[in-house]
Amino acid sequence: MVETTKIKLETKGLNEAQQKAVEYNDGPLLIIAGAGTGKTTVITEKISYLIKNQIAKPEEILAVTFTEKATAEMEERVGNLVNFGTYDLTISTFHALAQSILEARGLDIGLPNNFKILNEVETWLLVRQNLDKFNLDYYRPLGNPTKFIHALLKHFSRCKDELITPDDYLHYAESVKLNTDNVTFTEIKSKTKKTKKIGGDDDNEELILEPKRLEEIANAYQVYNQLLLDHGALDFADLIQYTVKLLNERPKILKEYQNKYKFILVDEFQDTNWAQYALIKLLTKDIPKPRLTVVGDDDQSIYKFRGASVSNILQFKDDFPGTEEVVLTENYRSGQKILDLAYGFIQLNNPDRLEAKLKINKHLKAKQPWEGEVKFLYGQNAGDEARLVADKIKELKEENNLDWGDFAVLCRANKQAEQFIPVFLEKHIPYEFLSTAGLFRQKVVLDSMAFLRLLDNYHESGALFRVLNSPVYKLHHEDWSKLLQEAKRRAVSLYEVVLDAEKGNVDMTSEGREILTKLLKILDRCTKLVKTDPVAKILYTFWNESGYLQLLSNQVDEHYRDILHLQAMFSRLEKFSRENIESTVHAWLNYYEFILEYGEDNEVTDDLNSNTDAVKILTIHGAKGLEFPYVFIGNMVEQRFPSNNRGEAIELPLELVRESALPSGDHHLQEERRLFYVGMTRAKKGLYLTAAKNYGGVREKKISRFLKELDETSGLPLHDDPSAFTNIMDKFVTEEEVKNQPVFPIPESFSFSQLQAYKKCPYQYRFQFVLQIPTFGKGVFSFGRTMHLTLQKFYERIVELNSAKQNSLFAPSDEKVVTTNTVKKPNIEELLAIYYASWQDDWFNSTKQKKEYYAKGEEILREFYRLGETNGWTVPVGLESGFRFKLNGATIKGQIDRIDRGLDNKLILTDYKTGKPKDKLGFDDKEQLFIYQIAAGSVIELRNQGEVGELRYYYLDNNSVQNFLGKDEELEKVKTGIIETIENIKANKFEPKPSKEICSYCDFKEICDFRL
C-alpha cells in the first residue's frame, strides 16, 4: 500500500493510459502514442519512476532516440524530474550508442578503436579519389565518370541498413548469373524470405545485362567497404552494422551489455530501420521477459527515404509474444475538428495500420477547449497563393493579438517555400526559412566563401559582387550599377574598376568610395596572411576586422541563425586545418570545389527552437516534433503533394530486402499520406490548406487527391470546382499587378540565348542580362567561336571563288543552284590554315585541355572536308546573316550561321553546333531554328526570296545533320512563348528555378542564394 501511494505521488498529473505505461515493467511494452499525446512525457516519467522507486539503477537504463536534439531534450527533462546528484544514465542516439560500443570493443572483430567516422561528403570524396579501384563499366558513363557515385553510396547505405554484407550481395549476384534462364529464388544463403522469378528469352538485352550489373554493384560494395577499412574509417551505417556483427559473433560481449542495460526504452520506434531494430533485439535476446519499452506511432512514420522500416512497429508484437500494449489517445495540442479531419484521412492507409492489425482505437480526443478551424485558400497562381497566406496571417495576428511565431508555413519540399518569401518581404512579415539545406547554402557562408575566392583571385567579379552586397558593406545599388557599367564598357574585371573608383576616377557617392576603401584595406590585410596562415584564421580576421561579427552580435534577434551558421563554418574550417597538411585558402577552395561537385551538403545547421518572433517556413519533415497555433500547408496540388514516386536510383533487389511486413497498398502513397497527417497534426487552433490553379507551365494544376480524400472521409465540401469551396474559404482574389520599377534597364532587344536563359532560370537571366555581372569564359565557348569563325571564312572563300555562280541572297529566286563538285573551293590545307588563324586561345582550364580541343577541331574539319568532297559543295547565299524583327512591340534579334538555296529553290537555314549531337529533337530543341524560320518570314529581304524549305542543325562533333521544318502551330507556339517571356522580364519577374542540372554549370552559382 505504501508502494502504491508513492507511485501515485511520483506520477501525478498523468492520465490513466500514461500512468499504465509508466508503471508497467513486467515485460516488453508497446506504447502507441498518437500525435500530441505526450510520448516524451511518458518516457521521461518512466525513467524517473524507475530510478526514484529503485526499480532500476540509473546505469542499468538505456534510452535510445534519433537526434542529438531529442537526446538533449530528454536529458534535460529527466534531470528536472530526478533532481538529486549526478547519475550514470545512458540517453543516446542509435549511432552514438553503436560508436561507444565499437570504440570499447571493436578490436574483438578486427576494427581499430581509433576509427574515423566519415560523413556523406567525405565518403563521396574517398570514392571519387579512388574511382579507378572500382572497375565500373555499367555505372561509369564516359561523359561524367563520377555521375553514379551518389547513387552507389546511397545503395550501399541501404544495404547496411538491411544488414546485407558484401558477401551476401556477391552470393546473390552469382546466383542470378547462374540462373538467368529460368529460376525461382526461394532463399539466398538461407536468409531470403521473398521469391522472384527470372526467365525469358535469352536474347533479351535486359536479361543479359542484369547479372553483369548486379555483379558490378556487389564488387563495388566490397571494394568500398575495404577502402573504408584501409583508411581506418567507417561511415554512419557501418556503426550499426558492425555493432550487430560484434554482438552476434561475440556472445560474451553481448552478455556484458545485456547485464549492463536491463531496462531499454526506444523513442520514435516507427523510424527505426532493420539494422537498428536488430540491435535492439540482440540486446534483449534470450531474456524471458525483457524490460523493453518502445514508443511510436505508425501513422507518423515518414522517413522511408532514410531507410526507416514501418514494418518494425507493425510486427513488434509478433517478435515479442506477450507484449503489453498501451494506446495514448488524449491529445494535448489540437482542436477536435483538426483531429477528426486527420483521423478520417489516415484511415485510408488501412489495412496496413496498427489500428486495423491490432483491433485498437487510435482516434485522438482533444483535451483543449477549442474546436479548431480548418479552411481552404485557393489562388490563381503561386504568387496569389502566397498573398492569400500572408493576408490571412496578418488578419489572424491582428484579430487575436498573436505573435508572428504563432504561425508556420509547411511545405512538401524546400523548393516550394520560395514562392512565400518574396511576398512576406513585400508585406513586411518577418519570417525564418528553416531550411534543411546544408551549411554551404547559407547566406553568411556564401558571403564568406566569396571573400575567400576574392583573396584567391582578385579578378573574380562574381565574388567581388557578392562581397560588396553583403550586410557589412551593402554598397548602394546606384554605386555598384556604375561599377558594373564601367566594367562592361572597358571590358575589364570589376576589381580593376573598384581600384580606379576608390581613387576617384569613377563617379560615385562619397559613401560608396568609403566602402571600397574599407574593403580594399581588409583585402590587403588578409592577402598578407594568405601564404602563412590557415584559412580559418584568415576568415576570422575578415569577420572580425570588417565588422561582420559586430554587426551580427549587435542584432542578435535578426541574425541569430547567421551566428549559428558562422560557428558551424568555423568548425568545418578548423577540422579541415587539423586533418590536412596544407590548410591554405587555395587548398580549402579546392576542397570546397569537391563539395560542390558532390552536389549535396546535408549537415544540419538550423536550430528549429529559435526564439525569434517570425513566421516559420519549413518542410513537414522538419516540422516533425514541433507544434504551432496556426499552420498553413501549401501547394496542395497533384505532383506536389502527394509528390511523384521517384524511387531509388539503384533499387535493392527484393530478394535481399528483409522486411516481412511490406504494405499491401501503394507504399509511396501511404508514406505521403502519413506525411500529410503529420503536417495536419502540427496545428493547434487553425489549419489552412492552400493551393493555386497555376504554378507555371501550360496546364493548370489539379487539386490534390488528398483534398478529395478529406472530402470523402470528413464530409468537408472539398471539390475540384472552386465554387464548391465557398463555405470554407474567405474569397477569391485576382492576380495583383506588381509594378516595381526596375533598378536596371531591361534590354531593348532579345536574342534566342537570352530567352533560353530566362526560360531555364529567370534569376540567372537577372545576373547575366540585367545586372550584367562579368563572368569568366569557358574553353568550350572559345572552341565554338573558333569553329564558327573557321567555317564562315571558309565559305566566304568559296563565295569569292565562285562569284560568277553565286546565288546572291538578293538575286532572283529562279537563278540556278550550284550544289555539285564543280564548285571551286579551297583545299584541305587552306581550310586548316584558316582554322589555325582563327583559333581562339582564351579560357581553357589547362594546356592539356587546349591541346585536346585543338586536335579535336582538326579531326572535325578533316571529316567535314571529306564529306563535302563526297556529297558535293554548295555556294551559300548568306553567311552569319543578322536579323531583327518586331514581335508584339519587342525586338527579336539573331544571326543565322549559313543560308543555302536548295534544289527546289527554297531556303535552307543552317546552325552549327559544337556540343553533343542529339539523335532526337524535342520542341524545345528546335525552338532556335523555329525563331530563324519566323525571321525568314518577317524580314523583308528574306521573305522576298520565297519560303523556307528546311531547317538544319549541323553537329560538328560527328558531322551529322538533323533537319526539320516548323509547322504553323509550332511557330505560333514559339511566338506566344516569346511574348510571355518578355512580358515577365519587363515585369521584373526573376524568380529562381534551381536544379542540379542548371546550377552545376551556372556562372553565378557561387553568388546565388538559391543554387543547389
Side-chain angles (χ1 to χ4, degrees), residues 551-583:
L551 182 149
L552 298 183
S553 59
N554 287 346
Q555 302 172 32
V556 174
D557 288 344
E558 182 180 349
H559 294 291
Y560 172 71
R561 308 186 70 76
D562 294 333
I563 294 172
L564 292 179
H565 296 150
L566 285 187
Q567 290 171 350
M569 172 73 171
F570 196 68
S571 296
R572 283 294 288 267
L573 291 172
E574 287 187 315
K575 182 172 184 273
F576 176 78
S577 296
R578 286 195 306 270
E579 296 179 354
N580 293 272
I581 298 173
E582 186 181 358
S583 57

Side-chain angles (χ1 to χ4, degrees), residues 188-369:
I188 300 297
K189 295 187 75 176
S190 303
K191 296 179 182 178
T192 303
K193 296 180 180 180
K194 298 176 182 60
T195 62
K196 179 182 178 183
K197 191 172 183 179
I198 296 180
D201 191 346
D202 288 341
D203 294 330
N204 186 302
E205 183 181 1
E206 191 63 30
L207 203 60
I208 297 170
L209 285 177
E210 185 64 5
K212 293 180 180 179
R213 184 185 73 86
L214 291 170
E215 186 178 23
E216 182 171 305
I217 294 173
N219 285 321
Y221 185 26
Q222 187 175 54
V223 170
Y224 170 67
N225 272 10
Q226 190 59 51
L227 196 60
L228 287 170
L229 294 175
D230 291 344
H231 284 77
L234 304 180
D235 62 25
F236 282 109
D238 279 331
L239 293 173
I240 308 296
Q241 187 182 46
Y242 279 120
T243 301
V244 170
K245 176 181 172 67
L246 170 71
L247 300 183
N248 259 324
E249 296 180 1
R250 301 291 183 265
K252 184 178 179 182
I253 295 175
L254 172 61
K255 195 64 178 175
E256 289 176 12
Y257 282 99
Q258 287 180 331
N259 290 335
K260 179 178 181 179
Y261 298 128
K262 296 179 179 177
F263 293 81
I264 300 175
L265 301 94
V266 183
D267 191 16
E268 304 286 10
F269 184 64
Q270 77 279 349
D271 293 333
T272 55
N273 59 40
W274 181 268
Q276 290 163 339
Y277 187 27
L279 174 58
I280 295 300
K281 287 191 283 190
L282 271 172
L283 291 172
T284 56
K285 183 181 178 182
D286 298 330
I287 297 175
K289 284 183 139 184
R291 268 73 177 279
L292 170 63
T293 299
V294 298
V295 187
D297 179 13
D298 59 305
D299 291 333
Q300 298 185 74
S301 178
I302 60 173
Y303 293 110
K304 180 67 176 177
F305 68 94
R306 293 182 186 171
S309 172
V310 69
S311 68
N312 290 346
I313 193 169
L314 296 176
Q315 67 181 50
F316 183 80
K317 291 191 73 172
D318 295 333
D319 294 334
F320 291 90
T323 292
E324 185 73 15
E325 68 183 42
V326 175
V327 185
L328 305 182
T329 57
E330 292 188 13
N331 179 282
Y332 297 88
R333 176 187 299 157
S334 307
Q336 192 62 53
K337 185 174 183 180
I338 296 171
L339 297 178
D340 290 345
L341 185 77
Y343 177 71
F345 172 77
I346 199 61
Q347 283 187 301
L348 293 173
N349 274 0
N350 286 339
D352 296 313
R353 295 174 58 243
L354 276 176
E355 184 173 42
K357 289 180 177 294
L358 300 183
K359 311 299 182 187
I360 57 178
N361 184 359
K362 292 182 64 182
H363 194 165
L364 300 179
K365 301 300 178 184
K367 299 296 288 183
Q368 300 295 356

Side-chain angles (χ1 to χ4, degrees), residues 837-901:
S838 302
W839 179 257
Q840 307 285 301
D841 211 30
D842 302 324
W843 306 120
F844 291 99
N845 293 334
S846 62
T847 302
K848 179 183 177 183
Q849 186 192 45
K850 189 193 314 185
K851 287 180 178 179
E852 288 174 350
Y853 270 110
Y854 199 84
K856 180 180 179 182
E858 279 192 0
E859 182 183 343
I860 287 172
L861 291 173
R862 289 183 185 278
E863 178 63 12
F864 173 83
Y865 196 89
R866 187 191 69 78
L867 290 172
E869 291 289 89
T870 302
N871 301 328
W873 296 96
T874 63
V875 180
V877 296
L879 293 169
E880 300 298 326
S881 304
F883 63 79
R884 299 174 79 88
F885 67 90
K886 290 285 187 178
L887 183 61
N888 200 39
T891 299
I892 311 301
K893 64 181 180 180
Q895 193 161 281
I896 305 172
D897 291 342
R898 197 174 95 216
I899 304 175
D900 299 296
R901 194 181 298 284

Side-chain angles (χ1 to χ4, degrees), residues 444-485:
V444 291
V445 176
L446 288 171
D447 289 344
S448 301
M449 292 304 305
F451 180 78
L452 292 177
R453 292 201 318 277
L454 194 55
L455 282 179
D456 195 52
N457 182 357
Y458 285 170
H459 298 285
E460 189 169 337
S461 296
L464 183 53
F465 172 82
R466 173 103 202 181
V467 172
L468 282 174
N469 283 277
S470 65
V472 74
Y473 295 112
K474 226 169 188 178
L475 188 68
H476 193 272
H477 63 79
E478 289 183 2
D479 281 330
W480 54 262
S481 173
K482 291 174 182 176
L483 293 176
L484 292 170
Q485 290 170 1

